[in-house]
């Protein structure tokens, strides 16, 4: 695990959690895409945008 300065630890932890949640959503979608069939096209697009936002935020916090 990477070492971070103490003052950056909360942001680092948030970023790691965001990445973990994002990976979980993508993994669930890949393993069982039919679970997402009942989600409207618009809601799926919003979910992807939210996922992208979470990944971008995590990237910024880790960078």
């Amino acid at each position: 695990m990477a070492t971070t300065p103490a003052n950056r630890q909360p942001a680092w932890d948030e970023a790691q959690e965001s990445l973990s949640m994002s990976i979980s959503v993508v993994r669930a979608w890949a393993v069982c895409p039919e679970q997402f069939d009942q989600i409207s096209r618009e809601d799926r697009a919003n979910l992807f945008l939210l996922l992208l936002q979470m990944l971008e935020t995590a990237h910024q916090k880790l960078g």
Side-chain angles (χ1 to χ4, degrees):
M1 184 169 155
T3 306
T4 61
N7 63 342
R8 288 196 63 210
Q9 192 62 43
W12 182 267
D13 291 344
E14 269 184 49
Q16 291 291 345
E17 184 176 339
S18 181
L19 281 173
S20 179
M21 288 189 307
S22 299
I23 290 167
S24 293
V25 170
V26 171
R27 184 174 286 133
W29 212 310
V31 170
C32 197
E34 62 273 5
Q35 286 186 349
F36 296 86
D37 287 348
Q38 55 214 352
I39 299 173
S40 72
R41 187 177 190 147
E42 183 179 333
D43 287 342
R44 275 188 241 180
N46 288 334
L47 182 59
F48 272 120
L49 289 173
L50 178 62
L51 186 59
L52 179 59
Q53 181 181 10
M54 289 171 61
L55 290 168
E56 288 173 337
T57 300
H59 182 262
Q60 289 173 352
K61 288 180 180 181
L62 293 172

